[in-house]
Amino acid sequence: MKNLDILKNFIENSLHINVDDDTLNKFNIYYDLLLKWNEKFNLTTILEENDVLYKHFIDSLYVMNFVDFSHKHLLDIGSGAGFPALPLAILNKQLKIDLYESNAKKVSFLNEVKNKLSLDNVSIFNKRAEENKNREYYDFASARAVVELNILLELTIPFLKVNGALLAYKKYDVDEEIARAKTSLKILDCSLESVNKFVLPNNIDKRAILLIKKNKKSKNKYPRNYSLIVKNPL
Protein backbone atom coordinates (compact mmCIF):
# COMPACT_ATOMS: atom_id res chain seq x y z
CA MET A 1 0.00 0.00 0.00
CA LYS A 2 1.38 3.41 -0.96
CA ASN A 3 -0.61 5.43 1.56
CA LEU A 4 0.06 3.65 4.84
CA ASP A 5 0.81 7.07 6.34
CA ILE A 6 -2.97 7.63 6.38
CA LEU A 7 -3.35 4.65 8.69
CA LYS A 8 -0.30 5.56 10.75
CA ASN A 9 -1.61 9.09 11.32
CA PHE A 10 -4.98 7.78 12.45
CA ILE A 11 -3.48 5.27 14.88
CA GLU A 12 -1.04 7.74 16.38
CA ASN A 13 -3.14 10.94 16.35
CA SER A 14 -6.64 9.57 17.00
CA LEU A 15 -5.97 6.40 19.00
CA HIS A 16 -2.76 7.78 20.58
CA ILE A 17 -0.83 4.55 20.00
CA ASN A 18 2.73 4.44 18.76
CA VAL A 19 2.88 2.08 15.80
CA ASP A 20 6.06 0.52 14.42
CA ASP A 21 6.88 -0.40 10.82
CA ASP A 22 6.39 -4.12 11.46
CA THR A 23 2.81 -3.57 12.61
CA LEU A 24 2.05 -1.28 9.68
CA ASN A 25 3.49 -3.85 7.30
CA LYS A 26 0.96 -6.40 8.59
CA PHE A 27 -1.81 -4.18 7.25
CA ASN A 28 0.06 -4.04 3.96
CA ILE A 29 0.25 -7.86 3.77
CA TYR A 30 -3.42 -8.08 4.74
CA TYR A 31 -4.35 -5.80 1.85
CA ASP A 32 -2.29 -7.82 -0.63
CA LEU A 33 -3.98 -11.04 0.51
CA LEU A 34 -7.38 -9.39 0.20
CA LEU A 35 -6.68 -8.50 -3.44
CA LYS A 36 -5.27 -11.95 -4.19
CA TRP A 37 -8.18 -13.88 -2.70
CA ASN A 38 -10.80 -11.55 -4.12
CA GLU A 39 -9.76 -12.74 -7.58
CA LYS A 40 -10.93 -16.25 -6.61
CA PHE A 41 -14.21 -15.36 -4.91
CA ASN A 42 -15.98 -12.31 -3.60
CA LEU A 43 -14.74 -11.17 -0.19
CA THR A 44 -15.53 -7.48 -0.54
CA THR A 45 -16.54 -4.93 -3.15
CA ILE A 46 -14.25 -2.38 -1.49
CA LEU A 47 -10.81 -2.90 -3.01
CA GLU A 48 -9.36 0.48 -3.99
CA GLU A 49 -6.44 1.20 -1.69
CA ASN A 50 -7.71 4.35 0.00
CA ASP A 51 -11.19 2.86 0.40
CA VAL A 52 -9.71 -0.17 2.17
CA LEU A 53 -7.64 2.09 4.41
CA TYR A 54 -10.64 4.18 5.46
CA LYS A 55 -13.71 1.95 5.08
CA HIS A 56 -12.17 -1.31 6.33
CA PHE A 57 -9.07 -0.66 8.43
CA ILE A 58 -9.84 2.69 10.09
CA ASP A 59 -13.53 1.87 10.39
CA SER A 60 -12.65 -1.37 12.20
CA LEU A 61 -10.22 0.36 14.57
CA TYR A 62 -12.37 3.38 15.41
CA VAL A 63 -13.97 1.51 18.34
CA MET A 64 -10.65 1.78 20.18
CA ASN A 65 -11.49 5.44 20.81
CA PHE A 66 -13.93 4.33 23.51
CA VAL A 67 -13.22 0.65 24.31
CA ASP A 68 -10.20 -0.80 26.14
CA PHE A 69 -9.43 -4.29 24.83
CA SER A 70 -6.43 -5.01 27.05
CA HIS A 71 -6.51 -8.59 28.40
CA LYS A 72 -10.08 -9.13 27.12
CA HIS A 73 -11.74 -11.85 25.04
CA LEU A 74 -13.75 -10.91 21.95
CA LEU A 75 -16.25 -12.97 19.95
CA ASP A 76 -16.59 -11.82 16.32
CA ILE A 77 -19.45 -13.31 14.26
CA GLY A 78 -19.98 -13.35 10.53
CA SER A 79 -16.32 -12.44 10.18
CA GLY A 80 -16.24 -12.52 6.37
CA ALA A 81 -13.03 -10.84 5.22
CA GLY A 82 -12.01 -10.28 8.84
CA PHE A 83 -13.43 -6.88 9.71
CA PRO A 84 -13.34 -5.62 12.43
CA ALA A 85 -11.65 -8.56 14.17
CA LEU A 86 -8.33 -8.86 12.36
CA PRO A 87 -7.37 -5.16 12.38
CA LEU A 88 -8.19 -5.18 16.11
CA ALA A 89 -6.02 -8.28 16.57
CA ILE A 90 -3.08 -6.60 14.83
CA LEU A 91 -3.14 -3.60 17.16
CA ASN A 92 -4.16 -5.43 20.36
CA LYS A 93 -1.78 -8.30 21.02
CA GLN A 94 -3.26 -8.84 24.50
CA LEU A 95 -6.77 -9.23 23.10
CA LYS A 96 -7.93 -12.80 22.41
CA ILE A 97 -10.38 -13.10 19.52
CA ASP A 98 -12.62 -15.98 18.39
CA LEU A 99 -13.88 -15.55 14.84
CA TYR A 100 -17.01 -17.45 13.77
CA GLU A 101 -17.64 -17.71 10.02
CA SER A 102 -19.90 -20.28 8.35
CA ASN A 103 -18.46 -19.91 4.82
CA ALA A 104 -15.58 -22.39 4.36
CA LYS A 105 -13.83 -20.35 1.64
CA LYS A 106 -13.83 -17.25 3.81
CA VAL A 107 -12.46 -19.32 6.68
CA SER A 108 -9.58 -20.42 4.43
CA PHE A 109 -8.82 -16.77 3.71
CA LEU A 110 -9.00 -15.85 7.40
CA ASN A 111 -6.61 -18.67 8.28
CA GLU A 112 -4.09 -17.53 5.68
CA VAL A 113 -4.18 -13.98 7.02
CA LYS A 114 -3.78 -15.28 10.57
CA ASN A 115 -0.79 -17.43 9.59
CA LYS A 116 0.93 -14.84 7.39
CA LEU A 117 0.60 -12.17 10.08
CA SER A 118 1.45 -14.53 12.99
CA LEU A 119 -1.73 -13.57 14.87
CA ASP A 120 -1.38 -15.99 17.77
CA ASN A 121 -4.20 -14.22 19.62
CA VAL A 122 -6.77 -15.30 17.00
CA SER A 123 -8.80 -18.51 16.78
CA ILE A 124 -11.02 -19.20 13.77
CA PHE A 125 -14.08 -21.45 13.69
CA ASN A 126 -15.96 -22.64 10.61
CA LYS A 127 -19.31 -22.57 12.43
CA ARG A 128 -22.47 -20.55 12.72
CA ALA A 129 -22.52 -18.06 15.60
CA GLU A 130 -25.25 -19.87 17.52
CA GLU A 131 -23.22 -23.11 17.51
CA ASN A 132 -20.77 -21.59 19.99
CA LYS A 133 -20.68 -23.57 23.27
CA ASN A 134 -19.02 -20.83 25.33
CA ARG A 135 -22.03 -19.29 27.05
CA GLU A 136 -21.51 -16.37 29.47
CA TYR A 137 -17.85 -16.37 28.41
CA TYR A 138 -16.76 -13.30 26.41
CA ASP A 139 -16.04 -9.73 27.49
CA PHE A 140 -17.07 -8.36 24.09
CA ALA A 141 -18.81 -9.45 20.92
CA SER A 142 -18.58 -7.68 17.57
CA ALA A 143 -20.32 -7.85 14.23
CA ARG A 144 -20.02 -5.62 11.18
CA ALA A 145 -22.75 -5.48 8.55
CA VAL A 146 -24.06 -8.93 9.46
CA VAL A 147 -27.80 -8.86 10.30
CA GLU A 148 -30.49 -6.59 11.77
CA LEU A 149 -29.92 -5.66 15.39
CA ASN A 150 -32.96 -7.59 16.69
CA ILE A 151 -31.43 -10.77 15.23
CA LEU A 152 -27.84 -9.91 16.10
CA LEU A 153 -28.68 -9.55 19.79
CA GLU A 154 -29.87 -13.15 20.10
CA LEU A 155 -26.78 -14.40 18.24
CA THR A 156 -24.35 -12.66 20.60
CA ILE A 157 -25.77 -11.70 24.01
CA PRO A 158 -26.03 -15.29 25.43
CA PHE A 159 -22.28 -15.72 24.91
CA LEU A 160 -21.29 -12.57 26.81
CA LYS A 161 -20.43 -12.37 30.47
CA VAL A 162 -22.78 -10.30 32.62
CA ASN A 163 -21.64 -6.68 32.12
CA GLY A 164 -20.04 -7.69 28.83
CA ALA A 165 -20.87 -5.66 25.73
CA LEU A 166 -21.87 -6.11 22.10
CA LEU A 167 -20.15 -3.76 19.66
CA ALA A 168 -22.50 -3.53 16.69
CA TYR A 169 -21.02 -1.79 13.64
CA LYS A 170 -23.91 -0.12 11.82
CA LYS A 171 -24.80 2.51 9.25
CA TYR A 172 -24.97 6.11 10.45
CA ASP A 173 -28.77 6.32 10.24
CA VAL A 174 -29.37 3.52 12.73
CA ASP A 175 -32.22 4.99 14.80
CA GLU A 176 -35.04 3.00 13.14
CA GLU A 177 -33.10 -0.25 13.50
CA ILE A 178 -32.63 0.48 17.19
CA ALA A 179 -36.36 1.09 17.55
CA ARG A 180 -37.13 -2.28 15.95
CA ALA A 181 -34.83 -3.98 18.49
CA LYS A 182 -36.55 -2.53 21.57
CA THR A 183 -38.32 -5.79 22.44
CA SER A 184 -35.18 -7.88 21.84
CA LEU A 185 -33.18 -5.66 24.17
CA LYS A 186 -35.75 -6.18 26.92
CA ILE A 187 -36.19 -9.95 26.48
CA LEU A 188 -32.43 -10.57 26.41
CA ASP A 189 -31.81 -8.39 29.49
CA CYS A 190 -29.49 -5.92 27.85
CA SER A 191 -29.41 -2.16 27.38
CA LEU A 192 -28.18 0.28 24.76
CA GLU A 193 -25.42 2.18 26.56
CA SER A 194 -24.22 4.42 23.74
CA VAL A 195 -24.64 5.20 20.05
CA ASN A 196 -21.23 6.29 18.79
CA LYS A 197 -21.72 8.09 15.49
CA PHE A 198 -18.62 9.24 13.64
CA VAL A 199 -17.30 10.49 10.34
CA LEU A 200 -14.31 8.74 8.82
CA PRO A 201 -11.30 11.00 8.12
CA ASN A 202 -11.59 13.36 5.16
CA ASN A 203 -15.37 12.92 5.30
CA ILE A 204 -15.05 9.60 3.45
CA ASP A 205 -18.17 8.08 5.04
CA LYS A 206 -20.37 8.19 8.14
CA ARG A 207 -20.78 5.23 10.50
CA ALA A 208 -22.10 4.22 13.91
CA ILE A 209 -21.01 1.71 16.55
CA LEU A 210 -23.57 0.68 19.16
CA LEU A 211 -22.40 -0.40 22.60
CA ILE A 212 -24.97 -2.72 24.18
CA LYS A 213 -24.41 -3.96 27.73
CA LYS A 214 -25.57 -7.35 29.05
CA ASN A 215 -27.24 -6.90 32.45
CA LYS A 216 -28.29 -10.41 33.52
CA LYS A 217 -27.45 -14.03 32.82
CA SER A 218 -29.16 -15.24 29.64
CA LYS A 219 -32.05 -17.69 29.69
CA ASN A 220 -30.98 -21.16 28.51
CA LYS A 221 -33.46 -21.19 25.61
CA TYR A 222 -31.47 -18.48 23.81
CA PRO A 223 -30.14 -18.50 21.20
CA ARG A 224 -32.74 -20.46 19.28
CA ASN A 225 -32.12 -22.22 15.96
CA TYR A 226 -31.04 -19.67 13.34
CA SER A 227 -33.97 -20.35 11.04
CA LEU A 228 -36.36 -19.60 13.91
CA ILE A 229 -34.45 -16.47 14.90
CA VAL A 230 -34.75 -15.10 11.39
CA LYS A 231 -38.36 -16.18 10.90
CA ASN A 232 -39.53 -14.84 14.26
CA PRO A 233 -37.12 -12.27 15.73
CA LEU A 234 -37.66 -11.36 19.38
Side-chain angles (χ1 to χ4, degrees):
M1 304 183 85
K2 299 177 182 177
N3 297 324
L4 273 174
D5 282 346
I6 293 172
L7 183 60
K8 182 177 182 179
N9 288 338
F10 172 78
I11 294 171
E12 294 189 341
N13 297 325
S14 180
L15 302 182
H16 307 294
I17 297 172
N18 291 324
V19 59
D20 57 30
D21 290 340
D22 180 63
T23 299
L24 281 176
N25 190 49
K26 289 185 177 182
F27 286 97
N28 190 43
I29 296 169
Y30 191 175
Y31 177 63
D32 288 343
L33 290 171
L34 193 65
L35 293 182
K36 172 187 170 184
W37 278 74
N38 220 68
E39 293 177 358
K40 304 175 186 178
F41 64 96
N42 183 42
L43 284 167
T44 176
T45 58
I46 297 173
L47 290 170
E48 196 278 323
E49 183 174 314
N50 273 12
D51 284 343
V52 171
L53 281 168
Y54 287 111
K55 297 181 180 181
H56 282 330
F57 292 160
I58 291 176
D59 181 57
S60 295
L61 296 172
Y62 194 91
V63 70
M64 292 175 61
N65 278 297
F66 53 90
V67 173
D68 180 7
F69 289 111
S70 181
H71 300 289
K72 302 297 185 182
H73 204 153
L74 170 72
L75 167 66
D76 185 75
I77 73 164
S79 301
F83 307 112
L86 295 184
L88 290 174
I90 293 170
L91 274 196
N92 296 273
K93 295 178 182 178
Q94 295 177 330
L95 170 66
K96 292 182 179 179
I97 307 181
D98 290 355
L99 284 74
Y100 273 69
E101 170 55 54
S102 61
N103 184 298
K105 290 182 179 179
K106 292 178 180 178
V107 167
S108 295
F109 167 75
L110 294 170
N111 275 314
E112 179 160 359
V113 176
K114 172 190 172 176
N115 294 333
K116 287 289 175 69
L117 303 187
S118 300
L119 297 178
D120 297 331
N121 54 336
V122 169
S123 299
I124 300 167
F125 301 89
N126 187 192
K127 294 181 178 181
R128 296 200 57 83
E130 68 276 14
E131 294 174 330
N132 195 327
K133 304 300 182 185
N134 296 317
R135 296 178 62 85
E136 318 286 333
Y137 183 74
Y138 297 94
D139 301 291
F140 295 102
S142 62
R144 184 173 180 260
V146 177
V147 289
E148 272 261 339
L149 183 59
N150 57 356
I151 295 172
L152 179 61
L153 289 167
E154 189 170 351
L155 292 174
T156 54
I157 295 299
F159 306 106
L160 290 172
K161 299 174 181 176
V162 175
N163 296 321
L166 166 63
L167 306 168
Y169 286 65
K170 292 292 181 180
K171 61 183 181 179
Y172 190 83
D173 299 320
V174 71
D175 296 344
E176 290 184 6
E177 188 173 345
I178 292 172
R180 290 192 294 271
K182 185 176 180 180
T183 301
S184 300
L185 286 163
K186 184 177 181 179
I187 291 174
L188 293 166
D189 297 307
C190 51
S191 54
L192 178 61
E193 295 293 298
S194 61
V195 179
N196 304 279
K197 293 187 174 183
F198 61 97
V199 179
L200 290 170
N202 294 332
N203 204 30
I204 293 293
D205 205 352
K206 298 192 294 184
R207 304 290 175 89
I209 301 174
L210 312 182
L211 193 153
I212 297 168
K213 180 183 174 184
K214 176 172 177 171
N215 298 314
K216 295 180 182 179
K217 186 175 179 179
S218 298
K219 298 178 180 67
N220 288 332
K221 62 181 177 180
Y222 302 120
R224 298 166 292 163
N225 181 274
Y226 184 72
S227 60
L228 187 57
I229 297 174
V230 174
K231 183 179 179 180
N232 186 28
L234 297 175

